Amino acid sequence: MKLFVGLGNPGAKYAANRHNIGFMALDRIADDHGFAPWRGKFQGQLSEGKLGSAKVILLKPTTFMNLSGQSVGEAMRFFKLDSTDVTVFHDEIDLAPAKVKVKAGGGHAGHNGLRSIHQHIGPHYDRVRLGVGHPGHKDRVPGYVLSDFAKAEADWLDDVMRGLSDGAAKLAAGDGPGFLNAVALRVTPPRSSTTTPKPKARPKDTPPVPGTDTPPAPGTDTPPVPGTDTPPVPGEDTRTPLQKLADKFR
C-alpha cells in the first residue's frame, strides 16, 4: 500500500493557487483512475483506489499547509505504513514551471508543508517536486505561491496534470524514471518523424544547363549547335553544306 499526499490549503479562496498544485495533482489522479469519492478523515480529505496492481491512499490535508504533518502522521500510523511508503506532491519554486522531479528523502528547503511533515514522520519519504517558478526575490515568495496561476500558464499546467496521471501507476510501482518519462511525453511530446528532405545544394558558381536543374559536367561548356540542344562532338565539322561551298571559293 502507498500513501500519496498532495499539499495545499483548503477552501475555494486557495483552490487555484500555485501552493495548491499538490491538491490539483491528486484530484486529477483520482478522477482519471476511478478512485472512491473523497471523504473526511485524518484531518484531511481521503480517497482510495488502485494504480496498476498497487493499492493507493490519496490524502489532501485540510489543516492548512504549515500543519500538514499532523494529517500525514495520523494516516500513516492508521494504515501501519513506513515513511518510505509516503510520496508527497508539492510546489517547488526552485524548479522552472512545468519541470517535475522525483526525490527520495532530504531537507525541506523552507517549504512549510514539508517542514511540518518532517516534524511528524521524519525526512525519509519521497517527494514529487512540481515546478512553479520563482518570483525573483525571496521577499516575494509568500505572495507568489499564494497567488493563482496565470491564464497563460493553463496549457503547461494541464499538460503536467495529464502527465502525472499517466505515470501514476509507474510511481506507485516504484518506477521513478518511468513516471518522469510519462510526464515528459505530455510536456514535451516527440516530434513527428515525417519530414521533407531538403533539396541538395547546387555546386557554387556552376550555372545549370538551360531547362534543367543539373549543372554541366566539367569540360562540357561548349555551346550547343544552333537550332539544337546537343553540344557538338569535339573535332566534328559543324558547317552547313552552303557554308562548305562558300568556303571553297574563298
Side-chain angles (χ1 to χ4, degrees):
M1 181 185 293
K2 298 292 182 180
L3 177 63
F4 283 5
V5 178
L7 296 187
N9 288 308
K13 176 182 177 181
Y14 303 100
N17 285 184
R18 293 178 176 87
H19 224 17
N20 273 43
I21 195 172
F23 277 12
M24 297 174 193
L26 263 58
D27 285 337
R28 188 56 180 260
I29 291 171
D31 289 345
D32 288 354
H33 294 275
F35 273 58
W38 294 97
R39 57 193 174 95
K41 199 166 186 178
F42 310 124
Q43 301 182 66
Q45 290 291 309
L46 187 81
S47 181
E48 301 179 52
K50 294 192 74 174
L51 293 172
S53 60
K55 182 175 181 181
V56 177
I57 306 297
L58 304 181
L59 176 66
K60 297 186 295 182
T62 54
T63 56
F64 284 94
M65 185 69 78
N66 60 356
L67 296 176
S68 298
Q70 295 178 4
S71 174
V72 177
E74 282 188 35
M76 194 183 82
R77 288 188 292 273
F78 179 86
F79 291 111
K80 297 180 173 58
L81 300 175
D82 189 80
S83 61
T84 55
D85 297 318
V86 177
T87 300
V88 178
F89 293 71
H90 67 91
D91 58 307
E92 178 57 76
I93 60 173
D94 291 329
L95 289 179
K99 291 289 184 182
V100 177
K101 289 191 176 183
V102 175
K103 181 180 180 181
H108 54 68
H111 191 290
N112 288 335
L114 299 184
R115 179 186 284 112
S116 178
I117 293 173
H118 270 52
Q119 292 170 353
H120 287 269
I121 72 171
H124 305 296
Y125 57 92
D126 294 341
R127 306 96 187 272
V128 176
R129 304 166 66 208
L130 305 172
V132 297
H134 198 287
H137 192 281
K138 65 180 182 179
D139 291 343
R140 296 173 56 196
V141 168
Y144 177 74
V145 297
L146 290 174
S147 62
D148 290 355
F149 283 103
K151 289 182 179 179
E153 298 177 288
D155 286 345
W156 73 252
L157 182 60
D158 185 61
D159 287 340
V160 168
M161 293 299 110
R162 290 173 183 269
L164 297 176
S165 179
D166 290 347
K170 295 283 188 183
L171 185 66
D175 182 3
F179 166 71
L180 292 175
N181 184 61
V183 176
L185 288 175
R186 287 288 188 178
V187 176
T188 53
R191 295 180 181 179
S192 170
S193 60
T194 305
T195 56
T196 303
K198 293 182 178 180
K200 292 183 179 180
R202 183 179 291 138
K204 290 184 178 180
D205 304 324
T206 307
V209 176
T212 75
D213 290 326
T214 307
T220 59
D221 55 353
T222 308
V225 177
T228 75
D229 292 326
T230 308
V233 177
E236 181 182 7
D237 190 347
T238 60
R239 294 176 299 167
T240 65
L242 184 59
Q243 288 174 330
K244 291 178 182 179
L245 181 63
D247 287 346
K248 286 183 179 182
F249 294 98
R250 286 180 181 174

